[in-house]
Amino acid sequence: MVTLAWKNLIHDKVRLVVTLVGIVFALVLILVQFGLFLSFMDTSANIVERSGASLWISAPELPYVNGASPIQESKRWKAMEVPGVERVDRYILAWVPWKLPSGAIENVQITGFSLESKLGGPWNLTAGSVEDLRGEDTVIVDELYKEKLGVTHLGQTVEISNHRARIVGFTRGIRSFTTAPFVFCSFKNAQNYAGGVVKENETMFLLVRAAAGVDLEQLKTAMKAKLGNFDVLTNAEMHKRTQIYWVFQTGAGITTLLGAVLGLIVGIVVVAQTIYAATVDHIREFGTLKAMGATNSRIYQVILAQAAMSGLFGYVLAMAIAAPISHSSQNGNAPIALPPEVAAGTLALAIAMCAGASIISIRKATRIDPAMVFRG
């Protein structure tokens, strides 16, 4: 049956090419759109995911991590009184102006954190270190945004919110979902840069690190009882809230998902039409098989084998196209994620798509009258 399926596939090479083009187009579209979606999901809340905090304390009704309002620093001492707390640190995440060498202004997200705990600090450093931020007016930016921010080298002096800043380090891969890059610095320096937003005795967040073995839900409940009208969220809850806002409420995630669904629909339609046409072209061969005593299950095996082969070949070609696209996109603002799980899932999807598309063909082939073989 497998041999017959293979011969049916390669008998008409033009039709095989058309089938593969349809499959490849659909799979590449799905891989690219779903890869963008995964990248959006990661980028939208990466600063939360990698924060290392157990709990986030903020002003009430926080819509997402980038939309916080200032709160009094004094709440920190109350939070530290709750049993099960190891430490509580102030944290600033605020939009501030960055002056380019040309004189133009770019918005950045100043990110001020505790240099002792490093909660909410940078990761993937390629130059410099967090310890370098102990210097006055020092910041770390991501390599991806060097050109955007007019940064050329370590030690360069720039201007943030009319204050001097010196570049002491670079990270790699810390993207911002918005057009405003993250700029990391000590909490003290962040207070200076965000002075127009956060007063001297204020902070945007309090980041809590729980003691080992403490139940986070119980700690969260105790913290809310202690602080009153404040939002207290676990790191996972803050991560989810921010993802939902940026990816779904802004519409960006829905658009990419619709693209992936469109690719799937196009693939099924193209493959179904092509496999159906191939079945009709070989209808007398299937009639011969039935006249020779072949059961419907044998016919199923031939057509499904054709579909599986088409899906496998199409998947290999699609990956050969999508993998370089994903790799080259990593240096841009819209990276396309292609983790092993997605690659494996796409293979299963390709075969399932082709098998599902072959159902129409199966119905046509199994209704053949074997007597047609002997008619003129």
Side-chain angles (χ1 to χ4, degrees):
M1 295 297 109
V2 174
T3 302
L4 178 58
W6 170 249
K7 289 182 177 180
N8 278 347
L9 274 181
I10 64 174
H11 175 72
D12 189 337
K13 294 182 175 56
V14 173
R15 190 176 299 282
L16 175 60
V17 169
V18 172
T19 302
L20 292 179
V21 168
I23 297 172
V24 169
F25 171 79
L27 292 181
V28 169
L29 183 59
I30 292 170
L31 284 167
V32 169
Q33 293 292 336
F34 194 65
L36 283 171
F37 176 74
L38 290 179
S39 179
F40 287 165
M41 291 287 285
D42 176 67
T43 304
S44 65
N46 55 1
I47 198 74
V48 178
E49 182 182 13
R50 303 296 291 268
S51 71
S54 303
L55 298 175
W56 290 67
I57 300 172
S58 70
E61 300 182 5
L62 176 74
Y64 56 104
V65 75
N66 312 83
S69 301
I71 59 176
Q72 294 295 313
E73 275 190 31
S74 57
K75 298 299 179 182
R76 179 188 180 200
W77 308 112
K78 283 192 174 183
M80 291 177 67
E81 295 173 358
V82 178
V85 170
E86 180 178 310
R87 67 178 298 138
V88 180
D89 289 311
R90 300 164 298 174
Y91 189 63
I92 287 177
L93 187 61
W95 311 86
V96 298
W98 172 297
K99 191 173 183 179
L100 301 177
S102 64
I105 298 296
E106 280 284 353
N107 281 330
V108 298
Q109 296 180 74
I110 201 70
T111 308
F113 65 102
S114 166
L115 300 183
E116 283 69 38
S117 70
K118 300 180 178 61
L119 294 179
W123 62 97
N124 292 346
L125 278 104
T126 59
S129 69
V130 170
E131 291 303 309
D132 293 329
L133 292 177
R134 294 188 182 278
E136 186 177 359
D137 300 329
T138 51
V139 297
I140 291 175
V141 299
D142 196 86
E143 293 177 338
L144 178 65
Y145 300 103
K146 288 169 66 175
E147 183 177 352
K148 179 184 180 70
L149 299 178
V151 175
T152 57
H153 59 276
L154 285 176
Q156 181 178 347
T157 300
V158 297
E159 184 179 317
I160 305 175
S161 298
N162 298 319
H163 287 77
R164 173 183 177 272
R166 181 166 54 89
I167 309 297
V168 296
F170 293 118
T171 59
R172 177 175 297 163
I174 304 182
R175 291 180 172 83
S176 167
F177 191 80
T178 67
T179 58
F182 293 112
V183 176
F184 295 92
C185 64
S186 67
F187 182 83
K188 179 181 178 182
N189 285 336
Q191 281 184 312
N192 294 329
Y193 298 136
V197 181
V198 183
K199 296 178 182 178
E200 187 176 352
N201 62 340
E202 293 179 333
T203 181
M204 301 294 278
F205 296 97
L206 292 173
L207 300 188
V208 179
R209 176 182 285 168
V214 172
D215 183 275
L216 285 185
E217 287 301 323
Q218 292 182 2
L219 181 59
K220 173 184 170 181
T221 301
M223 192 68 72
K224 287 183 71 67
K226 184 72 173 179
L227 297 178
N229 188 31
F230 282 84
D231 271 0
V232 180
L233 302 174
T234 65
N235 200 64
E237 289 170 340
M238 179 65 80
H239 184 262
K240 182 178 180 181
R241 179 177 292 191
T242 302
Q243 278 188 331
I244 290 174
Y245 177 84
W246 283 121
V247 178
F248 294 103
Q249 293 185 17
T250 63
I254 298 298
T255 302
T256 53
L257 278 179
L258 286 176
V261 172
L262 178 62
L264 179 61
I265 294 173
V266 169
I268 291 176
V269 170
V270 171
V271 175
Q273 189 176 35
T274 308
I275 292 180
Y276 179 79
T279 303
V280 172
D281 284 349
H282 296 90
I283 201 70
R284 294 186 67 85
E285 285 84 346
F286 288 119
T288 301
L289 286 176
K290 296 199 73 172
M292 293 171 63
T295 61
N296 283 342
S297 63
R298 290 293 187 180
I299 304 299
Y300 295 163
Q301 291 175 22
V302 174
I303 296 177
L304 289 175
Q306 290 179 205
M309 290 178 187
S310 299
L312 180 60
F313 295 152
Y315 168 78
V316 171
L317 293 173
M319 286 300 296
I321 296 172
I325 293 175
S326 173
H327 179 74
S328 62
S329 71
Q330 299 308 309
N331 295 323
N333 291 323
I336 299 169
L338 192 57
E341 298 83 0
V342 172
T346 304
L347 173 58
L349 175 62
I351 295 176
M353 183 176 68
C354 292
S358 66
I359 292 176
I360 301 174
S361 305
I362 289 175
R363 294 185 62 188
K364 177 72 175 180
T366 53
R367 291 179 179 179
I368 301 170
D369 181 3
M372 69 173 292
V373 178
F374 307 103
R375 297 173 187 157

